[in-house]
Amino acid sequence: MPAARFCGTQGESSCDTLDVNENRIRKIVIVGGGTAGWMTAAALAQAVDLRQCSIQLVESDDIGIIGVGEATIPTIHWFNQIIGLDEREFMRETKASFKLGIEFVDWAAPRQSYLHPFGRYGFPSDGISFQHRWLKARLDGLDDNFEDYSLNTVAARAGKFQFPSNDPRSLMATLGYAYHFDASLYARYLRARSEAKGVRRHEGIVDNFDQHPETGFITALHTNRGETLIGDLFIDCSGLRGLLIEGVLKTGFEDWSHWLPCDRAVAVPCAKVSALVPYTRATAREAGWQWRIPLQHRTGNGYVYSSRFIEDEAAAATLLANLDGPALADPRLIKFRTGRRRRAWNKNVVAIGLSSGFLEPLESTSIHLIQSGIAKLLSLFPTRDCDALTAEQYNRVVRTEIEGIKDFLVLHYHSTTRNEPMWANCRKMPLPEDLEYKEQQFARTGRIVLSTDELFRDASWFAVLLGQGHLPSDYNPLIDSIDAGENLAYLRRIKSEIRATAAKLPIHESFLF
């Protein structure tokens, strides 16, 4: 760091500016709007002093957004809180509904379903001991459904909802929830808030750029409308094309399609024709899976599939044949490649959202990865020279997180008895090393081994492993200190209290209208 110059003697009317301030970011340029761009703008507008640092965003109404990220996971609360959103206003403006989990239909086998809940299993004090209690009882002859021990799951299937309790002793404290919302309305809502704070939006398409001849840093962007946007830090929110991170800086891409075979989606909204269930539904199909996301004003639908195993026209026909209500538009085709940029931060460009990589929305992680990238950027906010060590730390933590999510998604594809060609291929594919280790640990010991920074925790892995057909041959031996009859009585009490509590909860829609 340069040596600082300090003010003169007390009482002098002026002093030199500290050298350290000369290296501060003064101009931030965000390329691309949509969910990623306006989430980034909203968070930065809250975090930086806009009197000292300008934020500009360039987007074009002529470029559509992907818009499949209409389902979220509970981490969305963190983002909404840091930018100061009022929950009821946010839900009204985005036509949102509540979400207690994700139902997976026909994944492990046809005519079977399970729900991945966002809450915990058992009583509030059980922690991971619940899974070993249940596994012990199962091996002792208990024949019941593990879902009966999740308040989230029982409430979701009954169409009920209630906010979690702040009392850590209450069964209601085991609840967790997220939202379904209209991503286009969310972006519009965040745009209004961001512009009110001082973010300046530019309409146009970036068609040229300037780079520093020595560092390769981007110094300015030029649009088709003749505007020039000068910046110190550029945030690439341009979606799958990665206009800056790839188009300009040629960062490179790590392809994961050998693990996650789907490379296309066709999406269409349909009319709302039934009560709003508080969960997302993912239904396995011949060559992929179909999502169903219930909103206040419509239902979002899509078929994520592998073009190796089904034609686009057949995928669209399958989707249209499996809608709850009349389609409200023509199906829209989306092409993608699953994987990640080799570096999400390169020189003075940080890629956030789909420009940094793509994981299909099977576990509703698209919006989480946007806010996670934003959070990491705020934590590692750079100086104007974008120190390479800061960028390296960002790239490390981004890589670790997205690779952990990738393994969780691969589990869904690998663990199945479906016989269609795509699913048969997935069943036989070599697994990522970390996922194979997790599966082996669970199979032998009932333990779920996770690093401290993985997004999905024990309850999530427990739900999906069991739901996809993994049943361990053992459990933590310390549970043997509990008498088998006592353990069974304890589990029956959990099930009974969960059933009674869920029965008293209000209907989901009563919270919305």
Side-chain angles (χ1 to χ4, degrees), residues 1-126:
M1 179 182 295
R5 297 195 302 273
F6 297 94
C7 299
T9 58
Q10 188 174 5
E12 288 187 346
S13 60
S14 64
C15 63
D16 290 338
T17 302
L18 295 175
D19 283 354
V20 70
N21 287 331
E22 296 175 3
N23 200 27
R24 295 296 188 236
I25 298 288
R26 298 303 182 199
K27 297 179 183 294
I28 300 172
V29 178
I30 302 169
V31 179
T35 309
W38 287 112
M39 285 180 73
T40 303
L44 287 173
Q46 191 78 10
V48 306
D49 184 348
L50 291 175
R51 296 168 300 180
Q52 300 186 42
C53 178
S54 67
I55 302 173
Q56 301 182 84
L57 183 148
V58 57
E59 66 174 341
S60 172
D61 289 334
D62 295 333
I63 300 176
I65 64 172
I66 294 291
V68 301
E70 295 178 324
T72 60
I73 59 177
T75 54
I76 187 68
H77 298 299
W78 169 84
F79 181 81
N80 285 354
Q81 287 168 4
I82 68 161
I83 64 171
L85 293 191
D86 175 79
E87 185 172 49
R88 291 198 176 277
E89 179 185 80
F90 148 72
M91 296 195 70
R92 182 178 65 251
E93 294 293 327
T94 63
K95 307 296 184 185
S97 64
F98 291 107
K99 176 182 176 182
L100 292 172
I102 307 169
E103 182 188 35
F104 292 93
V105 179
D106 298 339
W107 278 81
R111 295 176 298 281
Q112 291 185 16
S113 73
Y114 69 93
L115 198 136
H116 166 198
F118 290 157
R120 290 169 283 158
Y121 287 89
F123 287 140
S125 60
D126 286 340

Side-chain angles (χ1 to χ4, degrees), residues 304-371:
V304 179
Y305 61 94
S306 170
S307 61
R308 289 177 54 203
F309 297 98
I310 191 171
E311 298 292 333
D312 296 338
E313 295 77 10
T318 298
L319 176 62
L320 291 172
N322 289 279
L323 300 180
D324 293 343
L328 300 177
D330 293 328
R332 181 165 58 101
L333 179 64
I334 303 162
K335 297 181 180 180
F336 57 83
R337 184 166 52 136
T338 301
R340 68 171 185 89
R341 302 288 172 201
R342 296 196 182 279
R343 282 178 288 171
W345 185 332
N346 189 0
K347 300 187 183 299
N348 66 333
V349 173
V350 180
I352 288 178
L354 300 182
S355 59
S356 69
F358 183 85
L359 289 176
E360 60 180 75
L362 180 59
E363 281 285 356
S364 306
T365 53
S366 297
I367 288 177
H368 166 79
L369 287 171
I370 294 170
Q371 68 179 56

